[in-house]
Amino acid sequence: MHHGNPTETLARFLKARDWDVQKAYKMLIDCLQWRIQNEIDNILSKPIIPADLYRAVRDSQLVGLSGYSKEGLPVIAIGVGLSTYDKASVNYYVQSHIQMNEYRDRVILPAATQKYGKHISTCLKVLDMTGLKLSALNQIKLLTTISTIDDLNYPEKTETYYIVNAPYIFSACWKAVKPLLQERTKRKIQVLQGCGRDELLKVMDYSFLPHFCRKEGSGSSRNRSNGTIDNCFSLDHSYHQQLYNYIRHQANLIESGRPIKQGSVHVEFPEPDPEDTKIAKTIESEFQRLADQNGICNSLNGLKVNGD
């Protein structure tokens, strides 16, 4: 689990529990038990097959690696607004998310450490809010599950979260949620203007910008690129090709010529932290308020005045 860096791993768990040793110890033990019970060490040998199913997952769970920062940190792009999570079961999306976490920790970060000549254990995340709608409320439960898995089992792996292409609906939710966040978390989140290109160019080269940050103005996370080569969400992108081939190779090593089993990996979903539950409920109520507000506006727009 610590990949040769036990001190750094212990420090992450301590930081996640504000340096309370007893709480950090419990968190670490719970994490180890979760890994053992769900065979997380073997999850990179469980491909999502057939390939068409995996492509459907990739098309509806928009995540990818766009490159590296000037400091050598991996830049992970997430299409929050346009991810629909409606092409497969919840278990496949959770499995895919954990596989990307494990591939990051076992392959991407060690490779970055070797390439840049210094220990690299964290990443940057760029969250694209393009297309965020009130219908996203339907995905709150799944997103809370994924967030809880990260918080409890992969703590302090993200250096900074950059929010880009934020519509009004995000701004309204952010205003309600921000006071609930710990100061440590607040400091990690930066809401950038527009697509955030100018600010992001201070920390990464243009070639490593996520495709949705390369032009000013709003637009589709999926389509604002020159084909699938630039779109790090696509299964055809080099990152996803390498990840999928790695998982299939690990499966072949274990199965020794036997057909690879189909079906999702069923991972036990941990109970969300009370603070995370409070945040999720706040987002839910804010979405509901905006939906009600939107309904009133639509009703008013439909009214006839003096028979017109």
Side-chain angles (χ1 to χ4, degrees):
M1 178 178 164
H2 56 67
H3 306 290
N5 295 284
T7 303
E8 183 267 336
T9 301
L10 293 173
R12 285 194 296 107
F13 280 83
L14 282 164
K15 194 184 292 185
R17 289 295 176 262
D18 294 318
W19 304 97
D20 184 309
V21 175
Q22 290 303 318
K23 289 181 179 178
Y25 174 79
K26 182 182 185 307
M27 184 186 187
L28 180 58
I29 294 299
D30 288 346
C31 172
L32 291 171
Q33 288 177 341
W34 175 80
R35 294 185 67 88
I36 292 167
Q37 288 167 3
N38 295 284
E39 299 184 349
I40 301 300
D41 284 356
N42 298 326
I43 202 164
L44 285 180
S45 61
K46 308 277 179 69
I48 295 174
I49 52 176
D52 284 348
L53 174 59
Y54 188 62
R55 184 175 292 278
V57 170
R58 293 277 53 82
D59 287 344
S60 52
Q61 182 185 36
L62 304 180
V63 185
L65 178 74
S66 69
Y68 297 84
S69 73
K70 293 175 182 178
E71 296 295 317
L73 275 63
V75 177
I76 296 174
I78 305 173
V80 177
L82 290 172
S83 291
T84 56
Y85 299 99
D86 60 352
K87 306 294 184 189
S89 70
V90 167
N91 288 313
Y92 279 118
Y93 289 115
V94 171
Q95 175 183 344
S96 175
H97 180 80
I98 295 172
Q99 286 177 330
M100 285 187 280
N101 279 355
E102 291 292 316
Y103 188 73
R104 173 198 64 199
D105 293 350
R106 299 188 210 178
V107 178
I108 298 294
L109 290 172
T113 294
Q114 189 172 14
K115 179 179 178 180
Y116 289 91
K118 60 181 179 180
H119 180 59
I120 295 173
S121 61
T122 56
C123 63
L124 304 179
K125 289 184 178 177
V126 184
L127 281 61
D128 180 27
M129 296 294 165
T130 297
L132 187 66
K133 296 184 178 70
L134 292 171
S135 57
L137 188 60
N138 301 328
Q139 300 152 17
I140 288 287
K141 190 173 181 181
L142 171 58
L143 293 175
T144 302
T145 296
I146 287 174
S147 174
T148 300
I149 286 171
D150 282 357
D151 290 347
L152 297 182
N153 302 292
Y154 303 93
E156 301 297 320
K157 296 298 291 187
T158 303
E159 200 77 23
T160 309
Y161 297 89
Y162 296 101
I163 312 291
V164 302
N165 297 321
Y168 170 74
I169 188 174
F170 169 80
S171 304
C173 286
W174 176 238
K175 190 176 179 181
V177 168
K178 191 176 181 181
L180 303 177
L181 299 176
Q182 295 179 356
E183 284 302 319
R184 187 182 73 253
T185 305
K186 285 183 196 173
R187 287 194 295 269
K188 288 184 176 186
I189 300 172
Q190 295 188 30
V191 182
L192 305 183
Q193 189 170 5
C195 70
R197 181 183 60 187
D198 295 341
E199 287 298 313
L200 290 173
L201 284 174
K202 295 175 184 177
V203 295
M204 67 189 75
D205 293 336
Y206 182 84
S207 60
F208 290 148
L209 280 178
H211 55 284
F212 50 80
C213 295
R214 295 187 181 184
K215 292 180 183 177
E216 285 298 343
S218 61
S220 168
S221 279
R222 285 200 188 96
N223 300 324
R224 195 193 311 151
S225 65
N226 298 319
T228 54
I229 294 175
D230 291 333
N231 186 340
C232 63
F233 297 153
S234 170
L235 178 55
D236 299 315
H237 188 270
S238 58
Y239 161 71
H240 283 299
Q241 285 293 303
Q242 290 163 12
L243 167 59
Y244 197 53
N245 289 336
Y246 180 91
I247 295 173
R248 288 187 67 94
H249 177 67
Q250 294 300 313
N252 287 328
L253 289 177
I254 291 174
E255 295 298 333
S256 302
R258 292 191 299 265
I260 300 171
K261 295 177 183 176
Q262 295 191 25
S264 63
V265 173
H266 288 250
V267 174
E268 180 187 338
F269 301 161
E271 282 296 315
D273 185 276
E275 289 184 7
D276 289 343
T277 302
K278 188 176 181 181
I279 289 169
K281 286 183 177 177
T282 301
I283 293 172
E284 203 168 336
S285 62
E286 191 62 25
F287 267 58
Q288 193 59 59
R289 183 186 70 79
L290 291 168
D292 293 343
Q293 199 176 67
N294 192 45
I296 292 169
C297 289
N298 288 339
S299 297
L300 290 174
N301 288 336
L303 284 178
K304 290 183 178 181
V305 180
N306 294 329
D308 294 332

